[in-house]
Amino acid sequence: MSDATPPTIVITGASDGIGAAAGRQLATAGATVVFVGRSPEKTRAVAEPFGADYYLADFTRLDEVRQLATALTEKYDRIDVLANNAGGMFSGPTLTPDGFEKTFQVNHLAPVLLTNLLIDKLIDSRAAVINTASIAARLYGKVKLDDLNNWREFNPNTAYGNAKLANILFTGGLHERFHAQGISTVAFHPGFIATNFASDTNSRLQYVYRTALKVFLTSAEQGGARLRHFIEGQPNADWLSGRYYGSTKRIRRTHKQACDPDLVREHWRRSADMLGIRW
């Protein structure tokens, strides 16, 4: 790819919030942005002003993730950045059609599957994989390998924290296996963003996101700029592959489990087994 060729950037969760904001900012700057969302109306409304491509996928249905990967593989000669940004906090536990708990599937299993299905093109493109994680991994997370779905003693905060911790573990595993083949990957906390986050839960966090306290949150545009920072940044210059960054764009501590290489590898293996995939 020549320096004059705009990068091709795929952003999931791009119909609203920081995904939409980052996509708009990048498209305005001339990047080729591919918007992926669940809502036909919202995704189209974000993409159409830029004449950008958009695709629909409901991450509670893994067949739609597979269809998305096929469409992306067929349409684009290269993918320079895959931003795994889709996710959310949900009430539950809720069983998906694929047999997994909704929070774990939407936040972790679906982006793992999408990355796996695109891995050859990502390697050929020497791509960056950006995973939107959260400080919730440290605040609420504690992975139990024998209950990754959090069926036992489910609550929205713990399920979300574990899913975001899973994003960070996946980032470490992806770096370990594929950095030597040209892939760079990073996880980051976008901040406490003023969006519809936690609106579908009975978590106490909904009172922060849905009341007057919302004025203390960061705007979606600011959160989008943080995502854009990692999308546009140069690995090993602006950020280090395999690491977790806070909302200030600096490397930050996260849950101690993310520093356990044996846990990273076993979590990777079990996730792959759940999805029936090979790397």
Side-chain angles (χ1 to χ4, degrees):
M1 183 179 68
S2 70
D3 292 339
T5 303
T8 299
I9 300 163
V10 176
I11 305 178
T12 70
S15 62
D16 203 351
I18 70 170
R24 287 192 294 263
Q25 293 169 21
L26 290 159
T28 299
T32 300
V33 180
V34 182
F35 294 81
V36 178
R38 183 172 62 89
S39 165
E41 295 79 12
K42 288 183 177 181
T43 311
R44 181 172 58 249
V46 174
E48 280 189 344
F50 304 100
D53 291 340
Y54 69 92
Y55 294 87
L56 304 176
D58 183 343
F59 277 17
T60 67
R61 297 179 177 274
L62 294 180
D63 278 350
E64 295 194 17
V65 178
R66 296 182 181 97
Q67 292 165 11
L68 170 64
T70 298
L72 294 174
T73 299
E74 292 176 350
K75 177 65 183 288
Y76 302 101
D77 292 334
R78 61 182 298 118
I79 295 175
D80 298 285
V81 179
L82 171 62
N84 287 318
N85 173 69
M89 178 184 286
F90 311 105
S91 295
T94 300
L95 182 69
T96 71
D98 301 287
F100 305 112
E101 202 287 314
K102 179 179 178 179
T103 305
F104 187 63
Q105 178 168 319
V106 170
N107 288 279
H108 175 61
L109 290 177
V112 168
L113 178 61
L114 180 61
T115 306
N116 171 267
L117 294 172
L118 295 175
I119 196 67
D120 290 340
K121 190 171 293 287
L122 295 172
I123 290 172
D124 290 344
S125 306
R126 300 188 67 82
V129 179
I130 316 298
N131 296 315
T132 301
S134 173
I135 196 174
R138 181 164 61 87
L139 296 178
Y140 304 120
K142 185 177 182 181
V143 166
K144 297 179 181 179
L145 289 172
D146 62 347
D147 187 28
L148 293 181
N149 281 283
N150 297 287
W151 294 121
R152 301 193 301 267
E153 300 178 2
F154 179 97
N155 73 69
N157 289 357
T158 300
Y160 181 71
N162 283 342
K164 294 291 102 179
L165 178 52
N167 296 157
I168 299 169
L169 297 173
F170 176 60
T171 299
L174 197 63
H175 172 83
E176 180 179 37
R177 287 162 179 78
F178 294 105
H179 189 58
Q181 298 181 58
I183 288 181
S184 298
T185 182
V186 68
F188 79 106
H189 170 54
F192 296 100
I193 309 299
T195 65
N196 293 321
F197 181 79
S199 61
D200 187 31
T201 76
N202 56 4
S203 167
R204 293 180 180 178
L205 288 176
Q206 69 172 304
Y207 299 109
V208 176
Y209 287 87
R210 299 178 66 187
T211 68
L213 293 173
K214 194 170 184 176
V215 299
F216 297 103
L217 302 178
T218 302
S219 71
E221 288 301 316
Q222 289 173 294
R226 290 167 183 166
L227 174 55
R228 178 184 176 185
H229 166 78
F230 292 102
I231 290 174
E232 290 186 323
Q234 294 298 312
N236 301 318
D238 300 304
W239 50 265
L240 297 180
S241 181
R243 304 301 294 272
Y244 167 77
Y245 285 75
S247 59
T248 58
K249 305 172 189 175
R250 294 183 179 181
I251 294 174
R252 285 289 183 254
R253 291 176 55 195
T254 184
H255 199 288
K256 63 182 180 181
Q257 287 184 309
C259 302
D260 181 345
D262 292 333
L263 180 69
V264 170
R265 292 168 190 144
E266 183 61 15
H267 195 280
W268 178 284
R269 185 188 69 79
R270 294 195 184 209
S271 297
D273 286 349
M274 293 167 82
L275 291 166
I277 59 175
R278 292 186 177 183
W279 291 93

